[in-house]
Amino acid sequence: MNPAFSANPLTDLSRLLQYPFMVNALQAGTIVAVIAALVGWFVVLRRESFICHTLSVMSFPGASGAALAGLPLASGYFVFAVGGALAIAFGSRVGGRRSATQESAVVGTVGAVALALGFLFLSLYGGILESVETLLFGSFLGITRGQVETLLIVSLLAGLVLAGVGRPLFYASVDERTARADGVPVRALSVVFLVLLGLAVAAIAQIVGVLLTFALLVAPAATAQLLTVRLRLSLALAVAIAVVETWAALTLSYFTNVALGFAITTIALVLYGCARAIRELRR
Amino acid sequence: MFALPFVRNALLAGSLIAVASGLLGYFIVLRAQVFAGDALSHVAFTGALAAAAAGVDLRIGLFAATVLMALLFAALGERARADDVTIGVVFAWILGLGVLFLDLFNASSSGGSGIVGARALFGSIFGLSIGEATLAAAIAVVVIAAILAIARPLLFVSLDPAVAIARGVPARLLGTVFLVLVGADAAEATQAVGALLLLGLLAAPAGTAHRLTANPYLGMALSAGVALASVWIGIALSYRIAALPPSSAIVLVAGGFYLAALAAPSRPVAGVLRWMR
C-alpha cells in the first residue's frame, strides 16, 4: 500500500484518515508536537539542548530495563527519565558553583552510563526487544489508543506545571542573578524544570523514538525564537511550527514511504535554515 | 586471558583509543564542548549506515561523516565553537538521515541490518581482527601526537580566548583542527566501543580529571590514565562475566570513576601537594 498524491487534497485527506492507525498517529503526533514545542521553548531559552538530548537517551535503558524486569515499557521510560534529570540536576551542582565545564562532563557521563546500562539490560534480556532501531527511532504507525491516552494525561500534567512555574522560570532563565536577588528560588526551579523535561521527553520518546525526540523539542522553538523576540508570539509560533511539521511529515511518510524520522528532521532543518537566513537578511 | 588473540587485539586497540579519547576529552570538557563530541559520535553511526547502504568499506563512511561534520560545526560557530541549538538541529537531521540509510539498507539486503546497526551503535571490541586492531591503534597514535602538538596553544585559547587572540594565536584554526581530531577519534572508537558509548570515554575520565586537579598537564595525564584504566578494567570484567558486554563494562567503570571523583573533596591532588610541602 503506497498511494500517490492525487490532484484533490480532500481526497488525499479522506484516504489518510480511513485507517485507525493513521488517526491515532495524527492525534498522538499533535499532542506530542504541542507539548514538545512548549517545553522545548524553555529548553532553547535556557540553552539546555544537550541535557534534553541526554534525557531522551534515558528511554533506552528505560525500555530495556522494563522489558528485563517484566514491567510495562512506559514505567521504565518515566523512571529513567526522571532519575536522569535528578542525577544531572544534583551532579552538576556538586562543589557549589554552577560551572559549564562540570555540567557538560556530568551530562555526557550520565548519557553514556545510561546507554551502557541499556545495552547491558538488552544483552541480559536476550535481544528480542522489538528491535533496537524501533526503540531508538520509534514507530509512529503502531500507536495504540492506550498510548494516546497516557500521552494526553502526561502532556496535560506537564502543561499545567509549566503554566504554574512559567513566569518565574522565564525570569530565572533570562537573568538568573537578578531573579535570585529578587527572591526567586532559582535552584528549585531548575530542578523542577529538569524533572518536567524528563517526563515530557519520556512521553514523547515513546512515540517518535529516543533519538528523534530532539527534533521536535528543540528545532521548532529555536526557529521561532530566531524569527521573533516577542514572547507570546514566539511561543505560539513554536507550537504552530511543531504541529505543522508533524502533520507534514506524517502525510509525506504515508504517501511516499520515506522514513518518518527522516521526514520530520528534514522539514525541521529546512525551516530552521530559512529562519537563520531571514535573520541574517534582516540585519 | 592474555593468551587469546582477540583479548590482545582488544587491549591494543582499546588502550590507544582510551589514551586518545582521554586527552581529547580533557579539552572537550574544558571547552564545554561535550555536546559537539556527542553529536560527532552519533554522526559516526549515520556514516556507518551510509557506507553499509552504499556497500563500501565501513571505515570510509565513518571517517567521511565525522570529519565533514566536524568541519561543519566549526564553520557554523563563532571561533569554531557552534552553539548547542545549532548542533542540536543539525544533529537531529543527521540521525534522521541515518534512519533513511537504514531503510535503504534494509531494502537492498534482507536481514543483517540489525547486526550492522547494533555493531555501529555499541561496538564489538572483542570482534576486532589483528589488522583492524593495528589500524585502529595507528590512527589513535596519530591523533595523540596531533593533540599533544597543539596542546599548548589550544589550552591558551580555551582558557582565555580574548588574550590568546590578541597574542596572535589562530583560535579559529585551532578550534577546527581540534574538532576534526575529535571526529577522527569518534570514527575510530566507533568500531571499538561503539558510536553511542564513545561519549563515556570522552566525558567521564576528563570530568574526573577536572574535578581532581586544576593543573592542566597533570589533568591531561590523569584523564588519559583514567580512560586507560577504564578500558583495562572493563575488558577484564567483561572477560570474567560473560553476560556483561565490553562496551557497557568500560563505560560503567569510567562512570564509576567520575562518581567517586564527585564524591571526593574538590581538588584533592592540590590538597595533597600542599600538605607535602
Side-chain angles (χ1 to χ4, degrees), chain B residues 129-225:
Chain B
S129 71
I130 178 73
E132 284 169 338
T134 317
L135 185 67
I139 293 171
V141 167
V142 173
V143 171
I144 293 170
I147 189 72
L148 288 177
I150 62 166
R152 227 183 122 78
L154 187 61
L155 210 53
F156 192 9
V157 164
S158 309
L159 289 173
D160 195 343
V163 176
I165 290 167
R167 290 277 298 273
V169 178
R172 197 167 184 105
L173 180 68
L174 278 172
T176 309
V177 169
F178 174 64
L179 275 181
V180 168
L181 285 177
V182 175
D185 183 57
E188 200 41 49
T190 294
Q191 303 203 321
V193 290
L196 296 184
L197 299 180
L198 166 70
L199 188 60
L201 280 182
L202 284 177
T208 310
H210 278 281
R211 177 85 188 138
L212 294 182
T213 175
N215 178 326
Y217 292 105
L218 194 59
M220 283 165 68
L222 206 57
S223 175

Side-chain angles (χ1 to χ4, degrees), chain B residues 72-136:
Chain B
L72 181 66
F73 283 160
L76 281 175
E78 308 255 317
R79 282 187 214 134
R81 284 162 91 159
D83 78 304
D84 67 340
V85 173
T86 313
I87 294 176
V89 178
V90 173
F91 160 42
W93 180 69
I94 295 291
L95 290 172
L97 207 58
V99 185
L100 181 72
F101 289 135
L102 197 67
D103 260 19
L104 289 178
F105 184 60
N106 276 339
S108 67
S109 73
S110 53
S113 82
I115 299 162
V116 174
R119 194 173 166 184
L121 286 172
F122 300 110
S124 56
I125 199 167
F126 284 154
L128 294 175
S129 71
I130 178 73
E132 284 169 338
T134 317
L135 185 67

Side-chain angles (χ1 to χ4, degrees), chain A residues 196-242:
Chain A
L196 181 74
L197 179 61
L199 285 176
V201 161
I204 298 165
Q206 290 177 49
I207 309 292
V208 295
V210 175
L211 294 178
L212 301 175
T213 301
F214 202 55
L216 278 175
L217 267 155
V218 173
T223 309
Q225 288 187 15
L226 277 177
L227 288 176
T228 172
V229 290
R230 289 171 54 194
L231 291 186
R232 280 164 224 277
L233 187 63
S234 80
L235 204 55
L237 199 59
V239 173
I241 292 173

